[in-house]
Amino acid sequence: MVRVAAAAVVSSVVLTSCGGSGDDEDAGDGGGARKAGRTDARAAENLKRIPDVGDRLQSRIPKNSRQVVAVYGEGRNSADATVVLYTKSAAWKKTRSWPAHNGKKGWTPNHRENDKRSPVGVFTLSDAGGVLADPGARLPYTESAAFQAPHYWPKTHWHDFDHVIAIDYNRVKGTPPNDPTRPQGQRKGGSIWLHMDHGSGTSGCVSLSKSGMRYLLRTLDPKLRPVVVMGDKASLRG
């Protein structure tokens, strides 16, 4: 378990790039009604490759990666998704799955700041953190009150960032998830995270249950080179 000193400051740009945006007044508990963290009946099935991911994205998964978080979006303009964890020894195996949400406007291969869509692609997973104490994460974890969602957001969003895992999109690896540095510039957006679900779409992140987040934090191991493969189903297959 790796612990990292808490970040003292987080910019408002970082928070508004991810999770609830304060204008999502209709957020409910629709995601909570679905069972999270279930073990699939196919978990023991040996797989030669990540299912339903075409050659284009499959080839971007590093050959030394032994953990893949696949995010299967329901549609290009849908906020509903499923998160599946695959692990590899001799072959890939489906380990766990959870109902999830993505950007409230769906997906895009060319993400821009505030477009309310999640980026399609393959990204490494290097750093974690949140408002709550480290639950036993293997990734470097930054505990800080600076992750706290603003309280002018709806109450349903206040705990979005209790636990987060940074998706390495337009960010500097090895820094806390709320580091505001944008190597490709501010227009390309950033602060794309896995974080806790509030029952509806996000501003570009992927959200799942608290139990799912805690499982991923305790399971994703930097020695196994974890990555996320994410997008709507059609884009993933393309």
Side-chain angles (χ1 to χ4, degrees), residues 12-133:
S12 60
V13 172
V14 173
L15 282 176
T16 56
S17 296
C18 186
S21 63
D23 62 351
D24 192 5
E25 297 291 348
D26 60 349
D29 62 354
R34 294 174 291 176
K35 185 176 179 182
R38 62 187 180 277
T39 301
D40 194 275
R42 297 172 58 201
E45 182 179 316
N46 292 327
L47 303 165
K48 293 183 179 180
R49 53 190 283 155
I50 304 302
D52 302 313
V53 176
D55 292 343
R56 182 178 63 87
L57 292 179
Q58 198 88 38
S59 66
R60 297 183 186 178
I61 299 173
K63 294 187 182 300
N64 62 354
S65 178
R66 295 295 180 267
Q67 291 178 322
V68 169
V69 178
V71 184
Y72 298 100
E74 288 299 318
R76 182 178 181 276
N77 300 314
S78 172
D80 294 325
T82 300
V83 167
V84 182
L85 174 64
Y86 296 96
T87 57
K88 185 178 184 181
S89 51
W92 289 105
K93 291 185 178 181
K94 186 175 182 178
T95 306
R96 291 282 184 97
S97 65
W98 301 269
H101 289 98
N102 50 265
K104 64 185 69 175
K105 291 187 177 181
W107 296 89
T108 178
N110 188 26
H111 178 69
R112 289 288 186 268
E113 184 78 2
N114 295 323
D115 66 5
K116 310 301 182 186
R117 292 181 179 269
S118 298
V120 176
V122 178
F123 309 100
T124 53
L125 299 170
S126 305
D127 302 282
V131 177
L132 298 183

Side-chain angles (χ1 to χ4, degrees), residues 4-11 14-15 129-134 141-151 158-164 176 178 193:
V4 181
V9 179
V10 57
S11 73
V14 173
L15 282 176
V131 177
L132 298 183
D134 184 350
Y141 188 97
T142 300
E143 177 189 352
S144 174
F147 285 97
Q148 178 65 59
H151 278 201
W158 287 2
H159 295 284
D160 282 10
F161 311 136
D162 282 358
H163 292 306
V164 309
N178 56 357
W193 300 340

